[in-house]
Amino acid sequence: MNDWGIRARVILLAIIPTGLVALVMGAYFVAARVQDLNVNVQDRGMTIANYLAQTSEYSLLSRNSQTLSRLVTSARDGDDDILAVAIFAKNNLLLSSSGTKELVSQLSLNSSKLLLQTSINEITKGFLVRAPIVSQPTISKHASQQTNSDLPIIGYVAVLITNKNIQLRQYQTLATAFVILLIGLILGSILAQNMARSITIPIIQLANAVKRIKEGQLKVAIKAKTTGELRTLVDGFNDMSDSLYEAREEMQMAIEQATADINATATSLEEQNVELNIARKEAIEASRVKSEFLANMSHEIRTPMNGVIGFTNLLLRSELSKKQKDYLITIKKSANGLLSIIDNILDFSKIEAGKMQIENRPFCINDCVDETLNLLAPAAQAKNIEILGIVYRDVPELLLGDSGRIGQILTNLCNNAIKFTEQGSIQIRVMLEEETVNTARLRINITDTGVGLTEKQQKVLFQAFTQADTTTTRRFGGTGLGLVISKKLAESMKGKIGLESKENVGSTFWFTLELEKDLKTVAKPSLGFPGRRVLFHDANNTSQLATKYRLARWDTLVESCDSLAELIAAAELYEKQKKDVHLILVGGNLQEHHKKELLELKQISNKLDAPMAVLINSKEEKNIQQFSDLGLTRYLSKPVTKQSFYDALIHWFNIDEQNIAQNNQQKTKPNEAGKADILCVDDNEANLKLIDAFLADFSVETQLASSGMQSVELCKKTEFDLIFMDIQMP
């Protein structure tokens, strides 16, 4: 049916409704006609029976058989539907009948029970109607109140009516309905055929026209006598054909014109190709010159800056007035800021030129975090901000990657966090996001409690030379390149970078790295401190969690307390129970109201024979001296790094202290043969003076050379133990 054409579908859609309507109506009228015929026959039988019952009353009472016979005969006279009629007394005695004996014998009642009302029964021959003959009473005042059931029954009349004529009439009705249905279908088919023809002929013409257009004959006109939507379709097709023809003519003209233009410009394109080839060679040469320029600029700018910063540090080590020291610190900060800006600009230039190379060497992510913490600790401590790092235990120890570039990203993000944070803390968290046999995807979060960023500021934050605050009254400086460089570096290590921030609440900058695992290098197992019990409290909850995490990794038994009072209670409990405590550790700056508690804790530590140490968020001598005045001489300045904390714990736990001291003496022991001979080579006079000044603090013999040739001549005369040499000199 899905393959039928429009003509077949139109004919089918026209015939099916017509046939269904005719069929339903024919069935309804046939059923109604049959019902009416049955009802009419039954009504005739009941009418005849009731009439005979009324007219035969007197004759029955008087036993006038001639009258009864005449009544029976007249009831069948001329009516072929009535097969038999009989009048019976109330005791089923046949008084008079008309019809065959076989049929009359079927008319009597089968029981002695009186017939009280007219009844009709359907039998094989047709319908059997019986009506009671009642004796009417004399007229009296009670006659009107009596019903047929109250009157005496003296007999009954039975009439047998055939249904053969009814069946014949039913067949005639069915035949008539079928003929009417057939005529309706024929007429519907004729109308549908005409309708389908009026639709299909224009469509066939349209199909033929489309075929001709497909073959390239765009000038096609359809002449079809049709109306309505098909007329609109035909007119639209004719208009489309005209438009296509005109468009092809115009396109042909345009092609010819374009061909002429292409031929005309072919020569100029060849000339341009020659010029582009020359320009390409010039661009390659310019890129090479730019790379050399960047390398030279990096060296030439850093060299004088190295002298400025180096001699500033030397001056700061000398005896100065307070004002001079303040000036030198300002110079040092400015020089470091300028050097940072220069480094960012040079790095950005390298990235834009595609010259930034990512190394793939073994490194430890813990070391990267610790180096960043050590580098930025002074800046954080100057603002009384605590900076700390957490490397989760499932992070692989040994990886392959560019630790310098990872440290650069960490430094940039943490520098921003310090810059925009006035109080609170800065946290570095290193987490394992995904791991395979050979690779590990790390996610590093840097969370601060600073000013935060609006949604508008977040959208432009990773664009070059863009900052969140671009007004002339902005509080924080910078080039706006740090985040861009960090983004490029993270992407070059198959990672991403992003942030989550809320204004006046803080920000979390995150970046991911996909690094290979270092499967060749065997990690040196950390000895740890199994069995050592540490009682610990830190005023900063996050710092307490980080320190507790580090101690747990070294298998110590850590019991952290939320306050100094709780720490004192725990220490007293261990002292009463005579249990071993190997270290009492307190973190945070000293407050006036804490002195009494610390002195009490110091006394308990003496009873426990356990050392007491403090973690101070400062390296200033006055802050350290406050704890020393209380008798707390064991301390470690925050941020707490892995190696510094490990070394401090070895000392506090008094583990192999003598061996460690001997090793340190061996490391610092001078050359037994005499002073070391060192050669310093640099074409920059300031750098030579600076390194000479630095080496003057050591027991060494120093010689200086300002050129490569001079250094070669000196090496011919003396066998040096060590040579410091600038790698880029004339």
Side-chain angles (χ1 to χ4, degrees):
M1 182 176 179
N2 292 332
D3 298 332
W4 288 4
I6 295 177
R7 181 170 181 175
R9 292 174 183 267
V10 170
I11 294 173
L12 187 64
L13 290 175
I15 291 175
I16 287 176
T18 304
L20 288 175
V21 171
L23 185 62
V24 171
M25 294 299 293
Y28 172 75
F29 285 117
V30 167
R33 176 62 177 163
V34 170
Q35 182 67 23
D36 289 343
L37 289 173
N38 288 330
V39 171
N40 288 337
V41 170
Q42 293 176 14
D43 289 346
R44 281 179 58 206
M46 294 181 68
T47 301
I48 293 171
N50 288 330
Y51 175 75
L52 285 176
Q54 291 175 3
T55 55
S56 62
E57 175 194 357
Y58 178 75
S59 301
L60 183 60
L61 289 173
S62 62
R63 300 294 181 176
N64 190 344
S65 52
Q66 291 182 354
T67 304
L68 293 173
S69 178
R70 193 166 52 252
L71 288 171
V72 170
T73 303
S74 62
R76 288 192 61 209
D77 190 17
D79 195 341
D80 296 334
D81 290 341
I82 301 175
L83 299 179
V85 179
I87 298 174
F88 295 90
K90 66 180 180 179
N91 55 2
N92 283 337
L93 178 62
L94 180 61
L95 301 178
S96 179
S97 65
S98 175
T100 62
K101 290 183 179 181
E102 181 183 356
L103 295 176
V104 170
S105 63
Q106 298 178 9
L107 300 181
S108 62
L109 288 170
N110 295 328
S111 64
S112 60
K113 189 175 180 181
L114 294 177
L115 183 66
L116 300 178
Q117 59 184 2
T118 305
S119 65
I120 182 168
N121 298 313
E122 186 175 0
I123 61 176
T124 306
K125 298 292 184 179
F127 299 99
L128 178 58
V129 183
R130 295 186 180 93
I133 302 173
V134 297
S135 175
Q136 298 292 333
T138 57
I139 299 173
S140 65
K141 62 180 180 180
H142 302 291
S144 62
Q145 299 178 358
Q146 293 179 336
T147 61
N148 286 342
S149 60
D150 297 332
L151 298 177
I153 298 173
I154 59 176
Y156 63 90
V157 176
V159 179
L160 178 61
I161 300 179
T162 183
N163 58 1
K164 289 183 179 180
N165 293 330
I166 296 175
Q167 294 177 354
L168 180 61
R169 291 188 186 115
Q170 290 176 355
Y171 295 146
Q172 291 174 351
T173 303
L174 288 171
T176 304
F178 178 75
V179 171
I180 294 172
L181 175 63
L182 187 61
I183 292 172
L185 291 175
I186 292 172
L187 292 175
S189 300
I190 294 172
L191 293 174
Q193 183 75 14
N194 292 332
M195 185 183 297
R197 188 181 296 110
S198 65
I199 295 174
T200 54
I201 289 176
I203 291 176
I204 291 172
Q205 291 178 342
L206 284 169
N208 292 332
V210 169
K211 185 177 180 181
R212 291 170 62 188
I213 289 176
K214 182 180 178 181
E215 294 173 353
Q217 303 177 22
L218 299 182
K219 193 67 174 178
V220 179
I222 299 175
K223 298 178 180 179
K225 295 180 179 181
T226 184
T227 58
E229 289 83 356
L230 286 174
R231 179 75 264 170
T232 304
L233 180 61
V234 169
D235 293 341
F237 185 86
N238 290 333
D239 293 340
M240 182 191 71
S241 175
D242 294 338
S243 299
L244 287 174
Y245 180 77
E246 293 173 0
R248 187 179 68 174
E249 293 298 319
E250 292 176 359
M251 184 178 65
Q252 186 65 32
M253 294 175 62
I255 290 172
E256 293 175 356
Q257 181 64 36
T259 303
D261 293 340
I262 290 172
N263 292 331
T265 56
T267 305
S268 62
L269 284 175
E270 292 178 0
E271 295 174 357
Q272 289 179 5
N273 285 335
V274 174
E275 294 174 358
L276 287 173
N277 193 23
I278 296 172
R280 176 178 171 274
K281 293 179 180 178
E282 292 176 352
I284 294 173
E285 179 63 20
S287 177
R288 186 188 64 79
V289 172
K290 180 182 178 182
S291 299
E292 291 183 359
F293 171 76
L294 287 174
N296 291 330
M297 283 297 295
S298 175
H299 178 265
E300 296 300 329
I301 293 174
R302 283 188 174 94
T303 298
M305 290 304 301
N306 182 52
V308 172
I309 296 172
F311 280 106
T312 302
N313 289 329
L314 286 175
L315 281 173
L316 284 171
R317 291 162 57 182
S318 63
E319 293 184 3
L320 300 169
S321 66
K322 186 176 181 181
K323 193 173 185 179
Q324 289 173 332
K325 189 173 184 179
D326 183 52
Y327 288 166
L328 285 173
I329 290 173
T330 304
I331 293 172
K332 181 180 178 181
K333 288 182 179 179
S334 300
N336 284 326
L338 179 59
L339 186 60
S340 176
I341 292 172
I342 292 169
D343 287 341
N344 282 341
I345 293 173
L346 292 174
D347 283 342
F348 182 74
S349 300
K350 287 180 181 179
I351 291 172
E352 289 296 305
K355 300 295 184 180
M356 182 66 74
Q357 295 181 351
I358 302 298
E359 296 181 346
N360 199 38
R361 294 182 178 179
F363 77 100
C364 178
I365 193 67
N366 279 285
D367 295 340
C368 280
V369 174
D370 287 350
E371 287 171 8
T372 303
L373 293 176
N374 286 327
L375 179 65
L376 301 179
Q381 290 168 357
K383 299 182 73 174
N384 199 24
I385 299 169
E386 185 162 348
I387 182 170
L388 54 97
I390 302 175
V391 180
Y392 287 95
R393 200 161 190 170
D394 57 351
V395 176
E397 280 283 333
L398 300 177
L399 297 166
L400 294 176
D402 195 330
S403 59
R405 295 304 177 186
I406 296 172
Q408 186 176 357
I409 299 174
L410 281 171
T411 303
N412 282 338
L413 297 181
C414 291
N415 256 329
N416 280 344
I418 295 171
K419 186 190 300 183
F420 293 100
T421 302
E422 296 299 329
Q423 60 183 359
S425 63
I426 297 168
Q427 305 168 27
I428 304 173
R429 294 177 183 267
V430 183
M431 297 164 283
L432 180 64
E433 193 172 71
E434 187 178 345
E435 183 179 19
T436 64
V437 177
N438 298 318
T439 62
R441 176 175 286 275
L442 304 185
R443 178 185 173 99
I444 303 175
N445 289 0
I446 294 90
T447 303
D448 63 60
T449 56
V451 296
L453 295 164
T454 63
E455 292 185 4
K456 183 179 179 181
Q457 291 170 339
Q458 293 178 38
K459 292 179 181 178
V460 299
L461 199 60
F462 289 98
Q463 296 179 11
F465 306 103
T466 303
Q467 289 193 323
D469 183 8
T470 57
T471 62
T472 56
T473 59
R474 64 193 179 99
R475 297 166 54 197
F476 309 104
T479 60
L481 290 177
L483 291 177
V484 180
I485 294 171
S486 299
K487 182 174 184 291
K488 297 288 186 182
L489 290 175
E491 290 174 350
S492 65
M493 288 182 275
K494 301 178 182 179
K496 297 179 181 178
I497 193 169
L499 78 152
E500 300 166 1
S501 182
K502 193 172 182 181
E503 193 174 9
N504 299 323
V505 175
S507 305
T508 296
F509 283 82
W510 58 266
F511 65 97
T512 60
L513 303 170
E514 187 169 323
L515 304 171
E516 295 180 17
K517 293 181 181 179
D518 185 5
L519 302 177
K520 296 180 180 179
T521 305
V522 179
K524 295 180 180 179
S526 177
L527 296 177
F529 310 100
R532 261 66 172 193
R533 178 175 282 107
V534 179
L535 300 182
F536 174 52
H537 163 70
D538 197 313
N540 186 311
N541 293 333
T542 307
S543 178
Q544 178 167 301
L545 178 64
T547 306
K548 180 181 177 181
Y549 184 76
R550 283 189 183 273
L551 289 169
R553 291 192 71 168
W554 289 322
D555 299 325
T556 58
L557 304 174
V558 188
E559 184 173 335
S560 59
C561 303
D562 295 331
S563 65
L564 279 174
E566 187 177 335
L567 182 61
I568 292 170
E572 288 178 342
L573 180 62
Y574 278 104
E575 194 268 331
K576 290 178 182 178
Q577 294 176 348
K578 304 298 182 181
K579 289 186 177 180
D580 291 335
V581 175
H582 301 90
L583 177 65
I584 297 177
L585 190 61
V586 179
N589 292 329
L590 180 63
Q591 303 295 331
E592 189 66 30
H593 60 277
H594 290 157
K595 290 184 178 180
K596 183 178 179 182
E597 295 172 312
L598 290 174
L599 288 173
E600 183 179 355
L601 196 59
K602 175 65 175 173
Q603 293 175 358
I604 299 172
S605 70
N606 292 334
K607 293 178 182 178
L608 288 169
D609 193 22
M612 182 174 173
V614 290
L615 303 177
I616 309 173
N617 188 29
S618 174
K619 289 187 178 180
E620 294 186 9
E621 189 64 31
K622 62 178 181 178
N623 293 330
I624 298 172
Q625 187 62 39
Q626 289 179 335
F627 287 98
S628 297
D629 294 342
L630 297 176
L632 302 175
T633 57
R634 296 179 179 88
Y635 70 90
L636 181 65
S637 295
K638 293 184 180 180
V640 178
T641 61
K642 179 182 177 182
Q643 190 59 46
S644 64
F645 195 28
Y646 188 82
D647 293 341
L649 288 173
I650 289 176
H651 178 68
W652 295 338
F653 288 144
N654 197 23
I655 300 174
D656 294 332
E657 195 166 38
Q658 294 179 352
N659 293 338
I660 294 172
Q662 291 175 2
N663 291 335
N664 290 335
Q665 289 176 2
Q666 290 174 1
K667 290 178 182 177
T668 57
K669 189 175 181 180
N671 189 351
E672 294 179 356
K675 293 183 179 180
D677 289 326
I678 297 178
L679 173 64
C680 301
V681 187
D682 200 314
D683 62 324
N684 185 277
E685 185 180 356
N687 279 348
L688 278 177
K689 289 181 180 180
L690 180 62
I691 195 168
D692 188 31
F694 277 135
L695 292 174
D697 294 338
F698 302 93
S699 298
V700 295
E701 291 287 343
T702 307
Q703 294 191 51
L704 306 179
S706 59
S707 68
M709 292 301 298
Q710 186 181 357
S711 66
V712 171
E713 293 299 325
L714 289 173
C715 286
K716 290 179 179 178
K717 299 176 182 178
T718 307
E719 185 177 346
F720 292 101
D721 299 302
L722 181 66
I723 299 176
F724 288 111
M725 184 170 64
D726 183 7
I727 62 171
Q728 188 173 9
M729 291 188 299

